[in-house]
Amino acid sequence: MSFDDLLADDGRVEPRDEMPDAYRRTLIRQIAQHAHSEIIGMQPEGNWISRAPSLRRKAILMAKVQDEAGHGLYLYAAAETLGVERADLLDQLHTGRQKYSSIFNYPTLSWADVGAIGWLVDGAAIVNQVPLCRCSYGPYARAMVRVCKEESFHQRQGFEILHTLAHGTPEQHAMAQDAVDRYWWPSLMMFGPPDDSSPNSAQSMAWGIKRFSNDDLRRRFVDMTVPQAEILGLTLPDPDIRWSEERGHYDFGPIDFTELGEVIAGNGPCNRDRMAHRVGAHEAGAWVRDAATAYEAKRAARAEGAA
Ligand code: FAQ
């Protein structure tokens, strides 16, 4: 079946199928950015592993951060099916030629931030990624199925952390509120620029890579989150949030997209630290890659000798 017929039939494009170069390039861009986000996203929460308030919280947080590494691996593997090498993608990240999500350039100042990340950041990730399970590119869509199941656990653990704090002492409640105040607007920015200034959306939607626009997904996230904030007993830092009978959605106030532009341009609060840490970890891990490569060469030589 031709590429166009396959898309018209809502079929899945597989690695060996014919596909336009621009489709391949768009997928590499998006999947690589997504993979980079998963591994850079380990840093803000990793910051709290050694200071988690109990053994139970520490074990859960370690499992969550490890899940994010796993998501990065599935996604790099999905990108490799498009004919690129993981080492090249990492090189593009390290030299600033590929992006990662803006949200991971904000600091985690208190334990409540781990709760806010789980609830809001993983919550936004789920809203964005559930439709990607129906993405037209098979390997990406299949990777998303497992990722979404794990994100759903992450979101609940964040909600539970905030629920505990919000129902604890006045100081704990204030800490939870402060985390939500700082993470709310950056979470809305995760969905990208507004539709009328999103250069990639129209083509990505026509190709069935994106199923919904940035603004549609953002609206869906707000609709999902407002009632959850009420259950938590926390306030979202936007006085304009109110239910609109007419539109069947929550209205919300204007988003400062100049902040998103600044963070994407490398000027967020933690961009430099995140990149320095990532490049440092990559360099410190060179001996592991070398050892694995040498081991594989020896194994292959032994297998050849035995044949
Ligand atoms: N940050 O034309 P559009 C997670 C860029 S979840 C940085 O609208 P597109 C889970 C965009 O790339 C986070 N850059 O672009 C987790 C483009 O630049 P380019 C990762 C952004 O692709 C939780 C330009 O602006 N999730 O990691 C952002 O159609 C907790 C114009 O924008 C994904 O990556 C931004 N927020 O739509 C992990 C999901 N927004 O490439 C650890 C998959 C836009 O032309 C802990 N990706 N840009 O140079 C997507 O759905 C899409 O790529 C969008 C952007 C919606 C992010």
Side-chain angles (χ1 to χ4, degrees), residues 29-30 33-35 37-42 45 64 68 71 99-104 117 121-122 124-125 128-129 132 140 151 154 189-194 197-201 204 210 214 217 260 264:
R29 175 184 65 80
Q30 178 166 328
Q33 281 183 17
H34 197 163
S37 304
E38 300 282 356
I39 57 163
I40 299 268
M42 295 166 73
E45 288 169 288
K64 185 205 189 272
E68 309 301 358
H71 298 174
K99 299 185 168 78
Y100 61 90
S101 181
S102 51
I103 191 71
F104 302 117
I117 291 181
V121 176
D122 286 275
N128 170 274
Q129 287 166 194
L132 290 174
Y140 191 27
E151 300 293 25
H154 297 166
M189 293 173 201
M190 285 173 71
F191 294 93
S197 40
S198 162
N200 300 298
S201 278
S204 286
K210 285 167 88 161
N214 297 358
L217 291 174
L260 176 65
I264 294 178

Side-chain angles (χ1 to χ4, degrees), residues 2-276:
S2 76
F3 176 78
D4 290 333
D5 289 345
L6 201 65
L7 290 192
D9 196 37
D10 201 23
R12 294 289 167 269
V13 179
E14 295 300 336
R16 291 195 178 82
D17 292 344
E18 292 284 333
M19 62 184 95
D21 276 351
Y23 175 82
R24 189 186 295 277
R25 278 198 306 275
T26 294
L27 278 167
I28 292 171
R29 175 184 65 80
Q30 178 166 328
I31 300 173
Q33 281 183 17
H34 197 163
H36 300 328
S37 304
E38 300 282 356
I39 57 163
I40 299 268
M42 295 166 73
Q43 292 186 35
E45 288 169 288
N47 181 35
W48 280 90
I49 290 176
S50 62
R51 290 173 290 157
S54 69
L55 180 61
R56 175 173 166 268
R57 292 290 186 204
K58 190 192 287 266
I60 294 171
L61 184 57
M62 277 169 65
K64 185 205 189 272
V65 171
Q66 219 163 21
D67 282 353
E68 309 301 358
H71 298 174
L73 286 183
Y74 314 150
L75 286 162
Y76 285 122
E80 284 186 309
T81 66
L82 290 157
V84 287
E85 296 279 336
R86 185 181 313 182
D88 287 343
L89 299 179
L90 284 171
D91 190 52
Q92 294 194 55
L93 170 67
H94 298 159
T95 51
R97 286 172 293 148
Q98 278 180 348
K99 299 185 168 78
Y100 61 90
S101 181
S102 51
I103 191 71
F104 302 117
N105 293 306
Y106 292 86
T108 40
L109 303 177
S110 77
W111 168 251
D113 289 12
V114 173
I117 291 181
W119 178 46
L120 295 174
V121 176
D122 286 275
I126 294 171
V127 170
N128 170 274
Q129 287 166 194
V130 165
L132 290 174
C133 298
R134 294 192 296 112
C135 161
S136 59
Y137 188 58
Y140 191 27
R142 288 189 289 274
M144 279 301 112
V145 173
R146 178 159 171 187
V147 169
C148 284
K149 287 187 181 154
E150 292 176 352
E151 300 293 25
S152 161
F153 153 71
H154 297 166
Q155 199 254 359
R156 285 168 198 209
Q157 67 89 38
F159 184 88
E160 204 245 343
I161 289 174
L162 287 183
H163 193 273
T164 305
L165 291 173
H167 292 81
T169 63
E171 289 79 9
Q172 287 170 328
H173 187 282
M175 192 164 85
Q177 184 62 55
D178 174 61
V180 169
D181 288 349
R182 283 181 289 105
Y183 270 91
W184 173 247
W185 293 106
S187 299
L188 293 187
M189 293 173 201
M190 285 173 71
F191 294 93
D195 292 350
D196 57 12
S197 40
S198 162
N200 300 298
S201 278
Q203 183 60 72
S204 286
M205 287 176 73
W207 276 329
I209 296 173
K210 285 167 88 161
R211 297 287 177 172
F212 298 96
S213 77
N214 297 358
D215 286 332
D216 279 346
L217 291 174
R218 192 165 12 243
R219 231 184 330 267
R220 193 175 286 199
F221 173 68
V222 173
D223 286 345
M224 180 185 96
T225 309
V226 174
Q228 294 180 3
E230 283 166 16
I231 295 170
L232 286 172
L234 295 171
T235 311
L236 296 172
D238 177 356
D240 294 333
I241 290 183
R242 64 182 58 88
W243 179 254
S244 158
E245 275 305 334
E246 185 195 330
R247 298 190 316 106
H249 288 290
Y250 284 95
D251 286 333
F252 51 94
I255 299 171
D256 178 8
F257 283 109
T258 51
E259 178 177 324
L260 176 65
E262 278 297 303
V263 177
I264 294 178
N267 302 320
C270 299
N271 295 58
R272 283 170 195 80
D273 287 350
R274 299 293 185 239
M275 284 309 292

